[in-house]
Amino acid sequence: MKKILVIGAGKSATTLIDYLCDHAGSCGWEVTVTDIRREDALNKTKGRPGSHAEALDITNENHRKELVSRHDIVI
């Protein structure tokens, strides 16, 4: 299973997030979407199977490195 991390859940990421989350099950992906506010990431993932939402302050180097290290692809 490929683990994909999307950093940022802004308007420009909506189409990408929808695509990844819609295809997660059939493609064997686990998609994690992050934003400064977890609620914003949750609004994008919509609780779809294979998707996760997390808060991420990109200035927190330790948390950022930990998240990146757990994923195969970072967008």
Side-chain angles (χ1 to χ4, degrees):
M1 175 172 291
K2 292 285 182 193
K3 294 182 179 186
I4 302 170
L5 174 63
V6 179
I7 298 176
K11 285 185 179 182
S12 63
T14 302
T15 302
L16 171 65
I17 293 168
D18 285 342
Y19 177 86
L20 294 173
C21 289
D22 288 345
H23 292 85
S26 62
C27 294
W29 300 335
E30 184 176 311
V31 181
T32 301
V33 177
T34 66
D35 204 85
I36 190 76
R37 294 176 356 118
R38 184 174 183 267
E39 296 79 24
D40 293 340
L42 275 171
N43 286 335
K44 298 294 179 161
T45 61
K46 303 172 187 166
R48 289 176 277 200
S51 70
H52 309 280
E54 281 194 45
L56 173 63
D57 175 357
I58 61 168
T59 64
N60 181 332
E61 185 177 353
N62 291 333
H63 186 212
R64 187 180 68 239
K65 284 182 176 182
E66 186 270 326
L67 270 175
V68 169
S69 72
R70 289 188 291 148
H71 293 83
D72 301 303
I73 300 169
V74 178
I75 303 170

